[in-house]
Amino acid sequence: MPGTRPEYGDGTRCVHAGLPDAVPGEPFLPGPVLAATYHLDPVEGPRAAANGYGRPDNPTRRLLEEAIGSLEGGDCRVFASGMAAISGALLTVLRPGDTALLPADGYYPLRSLATGTLAELGVTVHFVPTAGPYPSFEGVRLVLLETPSNPGLDVADIAAVAQRAHAAGALVAVDNTTATPLGQRPLELGADLVVASGTKALTGHADLLLGYVATRDTVLLERLTSWRTLGGAIPGAFDSWLAHRSLATMDLRLARQSANAAAVAAALAQRPDLSGLRWPGLPGDPSYAVAAQQMRRIPGIVSFDLGSAERVGRFLGASRLIAAATSFGGVHTSADRREQWGDDTPPGFVRLSCGVEDTADLVADLRAALDASR
Ligand SMILES: *Cc1c(COP(=O)(O)O)cnc(C)c1O
């Protein structure tokens, strides 16, 4: 399969990822196989063919897993959502009495899962800021990094944390949602597990929910597969197919999103009427040095503070191109006032996700909307 050749560039790998070999008369990407149950061999039963029942396995899902696995550089299992993937990974690895280090400033539902379910199961959780400092990893079972963190855009040095964590016997998982496998490949940097939401920039059309876990560890993979089969949080065949279709354009989408974010960050940096501007690609940003050394490209997400919820409302009301919406990484530029969801951010804090619109149009609209909101 061409998509699995490591010497190809991102665009080539994305276009070919997970596609079957060419067969005359067959499509490039086979259509979704919508089946809960399949014909079985009357005598051999499920031993005779790959497909038997839709929860453990589905051919459309297998191709998507092949595709994402080739991009991450490991074996992949897809889940119904990012949270299904993350909770699956945590509950596969952690046992009563274990200690886990989770991001203090990452995706906030993970903190709810930690203080609720994990604490009730007898897992001790310590929250660590993404930018560090990281405590001793002695006695820790799992360190989960989210880098760049959502929504604060701090960056952790994956290789450095993995080296120290492994020396202490801890496993390392990296939430790769914001970066995508084109932004960084955590397994190559030493992580044991990648967890991610495919709902965001990976698929990028704001039309499906997806999660995945990737690993090179066959024992972890087997346990995760078993967890998914028993927990049942699988993505449907149609969503899996839509996701795979979207992967082909990921290189193009991310390139424009990143270029738009660079222009937006430069425009925002000139304005005295906002504060707290963050974009890891901006020289001078606290994340710049580690991001420049670790990441292959910088995501299209910028954050800043407009001072009040009211001003954010006026800004979004005045913009013609920036949709008020949560989530990020889609082809349409959107902005989210994170505090309204209970995220631990100031009331005027905005996470802006740059889409693939023309850069000049987006920057002009942003400037006009900010002026109008003053
Ligand atoms: C959105 C997100 C998730 C959760 O993904 P869902 O697909 O919404 O379940 C997890 N981690 C990060 C960093 C996210 O941004």
Side-chain angles (χ1 to χ4, degrees), residues 271-314:
R271 298 189 69 103
D273 60 340
L274 55 85
S275 63
L277 173 64
R278 294 296 308 270
W279 187 59
L282 208 55
D285 187 276
S287 299
Y288 180 79
V290 186
Q293 161 250 313
Q294 171 166 282
M295 300 190 69
R296 302 171 64 240
R297 56 176 91 197
I298 306 298
I301 301 157
V302 176
S303 62
F304 51 91
D305 193 338
L306 289 183
S308 70
E310 293 70 28
R311 185 165 180 223
V312 176
R314 292 196 298 275

mmCIF file of all heavy atoms in Angstrom, residues 271-314:
data_model
loop_
_atom_site.group_PDB
_atom_site.id
_atom_site.type_symbol
_atom_site.label_atom_id
_atom_site.label_comp_id
_atom_site.label_asym_id
_atom_site.label_seq_id
_atom_site.Cartn_x
_atom_site.Cartn_y
_atom_site.Cartn_z
ATOM 1 N N ARG A 271 -2.401 44.553 18.128
ATOM 2 C CA ARG A 271 -3.543 45.264 18.716
ATOM 3 C C ARG A 271 -3.358 45.471 20.214
ATOM 4 O O ARG A 271 -3.130 44.511 20.957
ATOM 5 C CB ARG A 271 -4.830 44.479 18.475
ATOM 6 C CG ARG A 271 -5.176 44.300 17.008
ATOM 7 C CD ARG A 271 -6.551 43.715 16.879
ATOM 8 N NE ARG A 271 -7.570 44.664 17.287
ATOM 9 C CZ ARG A 271 -8.322 45.353 16.427
ATOM 10 N NH1 ARG A 271 -8.166 45.194 15.123
ATOM 11 N NH2 ARG A 271 -9.221 46.193 16.882
ATOM 12 N N PRO A 272 -3.532 46.708 20.668
ATOM 13 C CA PRO A 272 -3.451 46.958 22.112
ATOM 14 C C PRO A 272 -4.756 46.630 22.843
ATOM 15 O O PRO A 272 -4.797 46.663 24.079
ATOM 16 C CB PRO A 272 -3.166 48.472 22.186
ATOM 17 C CG PRO A 272 -3.713 49.031 20.913
ATOM 18 C CD PRO A 272 -3.690 47.943 19.882
ATOM 19 N N ASP A 273 -5.832 46.309 22.076
ATOM 20 C CA ASP A 273 -7.144 46.139 22.725
ATOM 21 C C ASP A 273 -7.450 44.683 23.064
ATOM 22 O O ASP A 273 -8.618 44.321 23.246
ATOM 23 C CB ASP A 273 -8.256 46.724 21.837
ATOM 24 C CG ASP A 273 -8.331 46.062 20.466
ATOM 25 O OD1 ASP A 273 -7.323 45.441 20.045
ATOM 26 O OD2 ASP A 273 -9.386 46.158 19.814
ATOM 27 N N LEU A 274 -6.427 43.829 23.142
ATOM 28 C CA LEU A 274 -6.629 42.466 23.635
ATOM 29 C C LEU A 274 -5.375 42.024 24.363
ATOM 30 O O LEU A 274 -4.321 42.651 24.242
ATOM 31 C CB LEU A 274 -6.993 41.512 22.494
ATOM 32 C CG LEU A 274 -6.057 41.410 21.285
ATOM 33 C CD1 LEU A 274 -4.943 40.413 21.543
ATOM 34 C CD2 LEU A 274 -6.847 41.006 20.048
ATOM 35 N N SER A 275 -5.491 40.925 25.121
ATOM 36 C CA SER A 275 -4.335 40.455 25.906
ATOM 37 C C SER A 275 -4.199 38.946 25.778
ATOM 38 O O SER A 275 -5.061 38.267 25.228
ATOM 39 C CB SER A 275 -4.514 40.850 27.380
ATOM 40 O OG SER A 275 -5.663 40.201 27.902
ATOM 41 N N GLY A 276 -3.109 38.439 26.317
ATOM 42 C CA GLY A 276 -2.925 36.990 26.444
ATOM 43 C C GLY A 276 -2.847 36.247 25.129
ATOM 44 O O GLY A 276 -3.198 35.058 25.079
ATOM 45 N N LEU A 277 -2.377 36.877 24.064
ATOM 46 C CA LEU A 277 -2.310 36.209 22.764
ATOM 47 C C LEU A 277 -1.379 34.998 22.823
ATOM 48 O O LEU A 277 -0.245 35.108 23.288
ATOM 49 C CB LEU A 277 -1.799 37.190 21.698
ATOM 50 C CG LEU A 277 -1.521 36.593 20.312
ATOM 51 C CD1 LEU A 277 -2.803 36.059 19.680
ATOM 52 C CD2 LEU A 277 -0.857 37.629 19.413
ATOM 53 N N ARG A 278 -1.867 33.848 22.350
ATOM 54 C CA ARG A 278 -1.050 32.643 22.298
ATOM 55 C C ARG A 278 -1.156 31.976 20.934
ATOM 56 O O ARG A 278 -2.250 31.743 20.426
ATOM 57 C CB ARG A 278 -1.508 31.623 23.376
ATOM 58 C CG ARG A 278 -1.299 32.058 24.817
ATOM 59 C CD ARG A 278 0.155 32.257 25.212
ATOM 60 N NE ARG A 278 1.012 31.127 24.917
ATOM 61 C CZ ARG A 278 1.243 30.114 25.750
ATOM 62 N NH1 ARG A 278 0.685 30.087 26.939
ATOM 63 N NH2 ARG A 278 2.060 29.123 25.401
ATOM 64 N N TRP A 279 -0.027 31.683 20.337
ATOM 65 C CA TRP A 279 0.078 30.804 19.170
ATOM 66 C C TRP A 279 1.488 30.243 19.188
ATOM 67 O O TRP A 279 2.465 31.016 19.161
ATOM 68 C CB TRP A 279 -0.198 31.553 17.853
ATOM 69 C CG TRP A 279 -0.256 30.606 16.682
ATOM 70 C CD1 TRP A 279 -1.117 29.542 16.544
ATOM 71 C CD2 TRP A 279 0.579 30.590 15.522
ATOM 72 N NE1 TRP A 279 -0.871 28.879 15.360
ATOM 73 C CE2 TRP A 279 0.162 29.491 14.711
ATOM 74 C CE3 TRP A 279 1.636 31.379 15.073
ATOM 75 C CZ2 TRP A 279 0.767 29.189 13.498
ATOM 76 C CZ3 TRP A 279 2.231 31.071 13.858
ATOM 77 C CH2 TRP A 279 1.793 29.982 13.070
ATOM 78 N N PRO A 280 1.635 28.927 19.273
ATOM 79 C CA PRO A 280 2.969 28.356 19.466
ATOM 80 C C PRO A 280 3.945 28.646 18.331
ATOM 81 O O PRO A 280 5.154 28.438 18.484
ATOM 82 C CB PRO A 280 2.700 26.835 19.569
ATOM 83 C CG PRO A 280 1.265 26.726 19.973
ATOM 84 C CD PRO A 280 0.570 27.893 19.334
ATOM 85 N N GLY A 281 3.428 29.131 17.185
ATOM 86 C CA GLY A 281 4.322 29.441 16.073
ATOM 87 C C GLY A 281 4.841 30.868 16.096
ATOM 88 O O GLY A 281 5.619 31.276 15.224
ATOM 89 N N LEU A 282 4.407 31.634 17.083
ATOM 90 C CA LEU A 282 4.787 33.045 17.167
ATOM 91 C C LEU A 282 6.105 33.168 17.941
ATOM 92 O O LEU A 282 6.160 32.823 19.122
ATOM 93 C CB LEU A 282 3.676 33.784 17.916
ATOM 94 C CG LEU A 282 3.389 35.258 17.665
ATOM 95 C CD1 LEU A 282 3.117 35.553 16.199
ATOM 96 C CD2 LEU A 282 2.202 35.675 18.526
ATOM 97 N N PRO A 283 7.179 33.652 17.295
ATOM 98 C CA PRO A 283 8.425 33.824 18.067
ATOM 99 C C PRO A 283 8.118 34.701 19.287
ATOM 100 O O PRO A 283 7.449 35.716 19.152
ATOM 101 C CB PRO A 283 9.352 34.529 17.077
ATOM 102 C CG PRO A 283 8.807 34.180 15.724
ATOM 103 C CD PRO A 283 7.312 34.069 15.895
ATOM 104 N N GLY A 284 8.570 34.279 20.435
ATOM 105 C CA GLY A 284 8.220 35.017 21.636
ATOM 106 C C GLY A 284 7.122 34.339 22.427
ATOM 107 O O GLY A 284 6.931 34.611 23.609
ATOM 108 N N ASP A 285 6.352 33.449 21.794
ATOM 109 C CA ASP A 285 5.342 32.699 22.548
ATOM 110 C C ASP A 285 6.066 31.755 23.508
ATOM 111 O O ASP A 285 7.102 31.181 23.148
ATOM 112 C CB ASP A 285 4.462 31.891 21.584
ATOM 113 C CG ASP A 285 3.288 31.215 22.286
ATOM 114 O OD1 ASP A 285 3.471 30.102 22.846
ATOM 115 O OD2 ASP A 285 2.197 31.813 22.294
ATOM 116 N N PRO A 286 5.536 31.574 24.738
ATOM 117 C CA PRO A 286 6.205 30.677 25.691
ATOM 118 C C PRO A 286 6.395 29.252 25.146
ATOM 119 O O PRO A 286 7.295 28.534 25.583
ATOM 120 C CB PRO A 286 5.252 30.672 26.895
ATOM 121 C CG PRO A 286 4.465 31.931 26.774
ATOM 122 C CD PRO A 286 4.372 32.267 25.317
ATOM 123 N N SER A 287 5.541 28.817 24.202
ATOM 124 C CA SER A 287 5.663 27.459 23.639
ATOM 125 C C SER A 287 6.578 27.396 22.429
ATOM 126 O O SER A 287 6.833 26.303 21.912
ATOM 127 C CB SER A 287 4.277 26.947 23.207
ATOM 128 O OG SER A 287 3.400 26.880 24.286
ATOM 129 N N TYR A 288 7.041 28.545 21.946
ATOM 130 C CA TYR A 288 7.705 28.587 20.640
ATOM 131 C C TYR A 288 8.912 27.643 20.531
ATOM 132 O O TYR A 288 9.019 26.866 19.578
ATOM 133 C CB TYR A 288 8.126 30.023 20.305
ATOM 134 C CG TYR A 288 8.810 30.141 18.961
ATOM 135 C CD1 TYR A 288 8.069 30.167 17.789
ATOM 136 C CD2 TYR A 288 10.199 30.224 18.871
ATOM 137 C CE1 TYR A 288 8.693 30.261 16.549
ATOM 138 C CE2 TYR A 288 10.825 30.311 17.638
ATOM 139 C CZ TYR A 288 10.070 30.338 16.479
ATOM 140 O OH TYR A 288 10.683 30.421 15.264
ATOM 141 N N ALA A 289 9.798 27.694 21.519
ATOM 142 C CA ALA A 289 11.052 26.939 21.402
ATOM 143 C C ALA A 289 10.799 25.438 21.335
ATOM 144 O O ALA A 289 11.317 24.748 20.447
ATOM 145 C CB ALA A 289 11.981 27.282 22.567
ATOM 146 N N VAL A 290 9.995 24.907 22.264
ATOM 147 C CA VAL A 290 9.751 23.457 22.268
ATOM 148 C C VAL A 290 8.947 23.049 21.035
ATOM 149 O O VAL A 290 9.218 22.025 20.401
ATOM 150 C CB VAL A 290 9.012 23.016 23.552
ATOM 151 C CG1 VAL A 290 8.902 21.498 23.611
ATOM 152 C CG2 VAL A 290 9.722 23.524 24.785
ATOM 153 N N ALA A 291 7.947 23.886 20.663
ATOM 154 C CA ALA A 291 7.137 23.560 19.482
ATOM 155 C C ALA A 291 8.005 23.526 18.232
ATOM 156 O O ALA A 291 7.877 22.626 17.402
ATOM 157 C CB ALA A 291 5.997 24.562 19.323
ATOM 158 N N ALA A 292 8.906 24.493 18.101
ATOM 159 C CA ALA A 292 9.746 24.569 16.901
ATOM 160 C C ALA A 292 10.636 23.339 16.779
ATOM 161 O O ALA A 292 10.907 22.850 15.684
ATOM 162 C CB ALA A 292 10.591 25.839 16.936
ATOM 163 N N GLN A 293 11.055 22.809 17.921
ATOM 164 C CA GLN A 293 11.958 21.669 17.891
ATOM 165 C C GLN A 293 11.178 20.349 17.780
ATOM 166 O O GLN A 293 11.641 19.393 17.171
ATOM 167 C CB GLN A 293 12.833 21.739 19.158
ATOM 168 C CG GLN A 293 13.532 20.482 19.580
ATOM 169 C CD GLN A 293 12.927 19.934 20.864
ATOM 170 O OE1 GLN A 293 12.707 20.667 21.827
ATOM 171 N NE2 GLN A 293 12.639 18.647 20.877
ATOM 172 N N GLN A 294 9.977 20.302 18.304
ATOM 173 C CA GLN A 294 9.235 19.039 18.394
ATOM 174 C C GLN A 294 8.211 18.860 17.282
ATOM 175 O O GLN A 294 7.965 17.731 16.851
ATOM 176 C CB GLN A 294 8.510 18.995 19.751
ATOM 177 C CG GLN A 294 7.531 17.878 19.949
ATOM 178 C CD GLN A 294 7.153 17.758 21.409
ATOM 179 O OE1 GLN A 294 7.896 17.224 22.222
ATOM 180 N NE2 GLN A 294 5.976 18.272 21.748
ATOM 181 N N MET A 295 7.599 19.948 16.831
ATOM 182 C CA MET A 295 6.437 19.824 15.947
ATOM 183 C C MET A 295 6.820 20.025 14.486
ATOM 184 O O MET A 295 7.678 20.840 14.156
ATOM 185 C CB MET A 295 5.356 20.820 16.359
ATOM 186 C CG MET A 295 4.888 20.591 17.781
ATOM 187 S SD MET A 295 3.424 21.554 18.198
ATOM 188 C CE MET A 295 2.193 20.736 17.183
ATOM 189 N N ARG A 296 6.155 19.270 13.627
ATOM 190 C CA ARG A 296 6.419 19.367 12.192
ATOM 191 C C ARG A 296 5.586 20.476 11.559
ATOM 192 O O ARG A 296 5.856 20.925 10.464
ATOM 193 C CB ARG A 296 6.134 18.032 11.540
ATOM 194 C CG ARG A 296 6.974 16.908 12.157
ATOM 195 C CD ARG A 296 6.569 15.540 11.685
ATOM 196 N NE ARG A 296 6.793 15.395 10.263
ATOM 197 C CZ ARG A 296 5.815 15.117 9.398
ATOM 198 N NH1 ARG A 296 4.582 14.958 9.808
ATOM 199 N NH2 ARG A 296 6.096 14.993 8.120
ATOM 200 N N ARG A 297 4.513 20.870 12.204
ATOM 201 C CA ARG A 297 3.742 22.039 11.786
ATOM 202 C C ARG A 297 2.914 22.515 12.973
ATOM 203 O O ARG A 297 2.636 21.744 13.883
ATOM 204 C CB ARG A 297 2.865 21.749 10.579
ATOM 205 C CG ARG A 297 1.917 20.595 10.767
ATOM 206 C CD ARG A 297 1.019 20.436 9.569
ATOM 207 N NE ARG A 297 1.584 19.534 8.567
ATOM 208 C CZ ARG A 297 1.165 19.482 7.316
ATOM 209 N NH1 ARG A 297 0.208 20.286 6.906
ATOM 210 N NH2 ARG A 297 1.675 18.611 6.469
ATOM 211 N N ILE A 298 2.547 23.792 12.937
ATOM 212 C CA ILE A 298 1.860 24.394 14.079
ATOM 213 C C ILE A 298 0.360 24.448 13.763
ATOM 214 O O ILE A 298 -0.032 24.868 12.674
ATOM 215 C CB ILE A 298 2.398 25.815 14.347
ATOM 216 C CG1 ILE A 298 3.936 25.783 14.514
ATOM 217 C CG2 ILE A 298 1.751 26.431 15.572
ATOM 218 C CD1 ILE A 298 4.441 24.966 15.670
ATOM 219 N N PRO A 299 -0.497 24.054 14.719
ATOM 220 C CA PRO A 299 -1.936 24.009 14.452
ATOM 221 C C PRO A 299 -2.536 25.398 14.188
ATOM 222 O O PRO A 299 -1.956 26.424 14.551
ATOM 223 C CB PRO A 299 -2.531 23.411 15.727
ATOM 224 C CG PRO A 299 -1.402 22.891 16.521
ATOM 225 C CD PRO A 299 -0.168 23.580 16.070
ATOM 226 N N GLY A 300 -3.724 25.398 13.602
ATOM 227 C CA GLY A 300 -4.403 26.638 13.228
ATOM 228 C C GLY A 300 -5.224 27.248 14.342
ATOM 229 O O GLY A 300 -6.255 27.866 14.077
ATOM 230 N N ILE A 301 -4.788 27.088 15.570
ATOM 231 C CA ILE A 301 -5.565 27.578 16.710
ATOM 232 C C ILE A 301 -4.810 28.687 17.440
ATOM 233 O O ILE A 301 -3.622 28.543 17.741
ATOM 234 C CB ILE A 301 -5.868 26.436 17.693
ATOM 235 C CG1 ILE A 301 -6.651 25.351 16.954
ATOM 236 C CG2 ILE A 301 -6.657 26.919 18.888
ATOM 237 C CD1 ILE A 301 -6.526 24.029 17.614
ATOM 238 N N VAL A 302 -5.525 29.766 17.695
ATOM 239 C CA VAL A 302 -4.952 30.933 18.359
ATOM 240 C C VAL A 302 -5.859 31.233 19.553
ATOM 241 O O VAL A 302 -7.078 31.069 19.451
ATOM 242 C CB VAL A 302 -4.959 32.134 17.386
ATOM 243 C CG1 VAL A 302 -4.460 33.395 18.050
ATOM 244 C CG2 VAL A 302 -4.133 31.816 16.141
ATOM 245 N N SER A 303 -5.289 31.637 20.675
ATOM 246 C CA SER A 303 -6.163 32.041 21.775
ATOM 247 C C SER A 303 -5.781 33.430 22.271
ATOM 248 O O SER A 303 -4.636 33.868 22.122
ATOM 249 C CB SER A 303 -6.141 31.007 22.911
ATOM 250 O OG SER A 303 -4.858 30.881 23.462
ATOM 251 N N PHE A 304 -6.783 34.130 22.797
ATOM 252 C CA PHE A 304 -6.568 35.487 23.306
ATOM 253 C C PHE A 304 -7.724 35.874 24.211
ATOM 254 O O PHE A 304 -8.731 35.159 24.304
ATOM 255 C CB PHE A 304 -6.436 36.496 22.145
ATOM 256 C CG PHE A 304 -7.551 36.429 21.134
ATOM 257 C CD1 PHE A 304 -8.691 37.217 21.267
ATOM 258 C CD2 PHE A 304 -7.463 35.577 20.044
ATOM 259 C CE1 PHE A 304 -9.720 37.154 20.334
ATOM 260 C CE2 PHE A 304 -8.488 35.501 19.103
ATOM 261 C CZ PHE A 304 -9.615 36.288 19.248
ATOM 262 N N ASP A 305 -7.586 37.009 24.881
ATOM 263 C CA ASP A 305 -8.580 37.445 25.863
ATOM 264 C C ASP A 305 -9.099 38.827 25.466
ATOM 265 O O ASP A 305 -8.324 39.779 25.347
ATOM 266 C CB ASP A 305 -7.924 37.490 27.253
ATOM 267 C CG ASP A 305 -8.949 37.636 28.379
ATOM 268 O OD1 ASP A 305 -10.078 38.116 28.100
ATOM 269 O OD2 ASP A 305 -8.613 37.276 29.515
ATOM 270 N N LEU A 306 -10.413 38.914 25.264
ATOM 271 C CA LEU A 306 -11.024 40.197 24.906
ATOM 272 C C LEU A 306 -11.558 40.939 26.128
ATOM 273 O O LEU A 306 -12.236 41.963 25.985
ATOM 274 C CB LEU A 306 -12.152 39.988 23.890
ATOM 275 C CG LEU A 306 -11.710 39.581 22.475
ATOM 276 C CD1 LEU A 306 -12.911 39.476 21.544
ATOM 277 C CD2 LEU A 306 -10.690 40.572 21.912
ATOM 278 N N GLY A 307 -11.291 40.424 27.320
ATOM 279 C CA GLY A 307 -11.590 41.189 28.528
ATOM 280 C C GLY A 307 -12.950 40.924 29.152
ATOM 281 O O GLY A 307 -13.102 41.025 30.353
ATOM 282 N N SER A 308 -13.972 40.610 28.329
ATOM 283 C CA SER A 308 -15.298 40.359 28.903
ATOM 284 C C SER A 308 -16.121 39.494 27.966
ATOM 285 O O SER A 308 -15.886 39.479 26.745
ATOM 286 C CB SER A 308 -16.050 41.676 29.131
ATOM 287 O OG SER A 308 -16.424 42.245 27.878
ATOM 288 N N ALA A 309 -17.091 38.810 28.547
ATOM 289 C CA ALA A 309 -18.001 37.981 27.743
ATOM 290 C C ALA A 309 -18.775 38.854 26.769
ATOM 291 O O ALA A 309 -19.039 38.457 25.625
ATOM 292 C CB ALA A 309 -18.957 37.227 28.664
ATOM 293 N N GLU A 310 -19.135 40.076 27.209
ATOM 294 C CA GLU A 310 -19.925 40.968 26.357
ATOM 295 C C GLU A 310 -19.149 41.336 25.094
ATOM 296 O O GLU A 310 -19.696 41.367 24.001
ATOM 297 C CB GLU A 310 -20.317 42.237 27.124
ATOM 298 C CG GLU A 310 -21.298 42.000 28.276
ATOM 299 C CD GLU A 310 -20.691 41.243 29.459
ATOM 300 O OE1 GLU A 310 -19.450 41.340 29.694
ATOM 301 O OE2 GLU A 310 -21.450 40.528 30.162
ATOM 302 N N ARG A 311 -17.849 41.606 25.276
ATOM 303 C CA ARG A 311 -17.083 41.991 24.079
ATOM 304 C C ARG A 311 -16.933 40.805 23.112
ATOM 305 O O ARG A 311 -16.962 40.986 21.888
ATOM 306 C CB ARG A 311 -15.702 42.552 24.471
ATOM 307 C CG ARG A 311 -15.005 43.047 23.227
ATOM 308 C CD ARG A 311 -13.805 43.932 23.441
ATOM 309 N NE ARG A 311 -13.276 44.310 22.142
ATOM 310 C CZ ARG A 311 -11.998 44.346 21.818
ATOM 311 N NH1 ARG A 311 -11.082 44.075 22.727
ATOM 312 N NH2 ARG A 311 -11.624 44.678 20.600
ATOM 313 N N VAL A 312 -16.775 39.617 23.662
ATOM 314 C CA VAL A 312 -16.702 38.432 22.784
ATOM 315 C C VAL A 312 -18.005 38.310 21.992
ATOM 316 O O VAL A 312 -17.988 38.050 20.779
ATOM 317 C CB VAL A 312 -16.437 37.145 23.601
ATOM 318 C CG1 VAL A 312 -16.452 35.916 22.687
ATOM 319 C CG2 VAL A 312 -15.104 37.238 24.338
ATOM 320 N N GLY A 313 -19.126 38.555 22.662
ATOM 321 C CA GLY A 313 -20.424 38.487 21.978
ATOM 322 C C GLY A 313 -20.512 39.511 20.860
ATOM 323 O O GLY A 313 -20.982 39.203 19.759
ATOM 324 N N ARG A 314 -20.051 40.741 21.113
ATOM 325 C CA ARG A 314 -20.081 41.778 20.067
ATOM 326 C C ARG A 314 -19.150 41.420 18.916
ATOM 327 O O ARG A 314 -19.476 41.608 17.744
ATOM 328 C CB ARG A 314 -19.687 43.146 20.663
ATOM 329 C CG ARG A 314 -20.696 43.727 21.635
ATOM 330 C CD ARG A 314 -20.462 45.226 21.881
ATOM 331 N NE ARG A 314 -19.157 45.515 22.477
ATOM 332 C CZ ARG A 314 -18.887 45.480 23.787
ATOM 333 N NH1 ARG A 314 -19.840 45.175 24.654
ATOM 334 N NH2 ARG A 314 -17.681 45.782 24.238
#
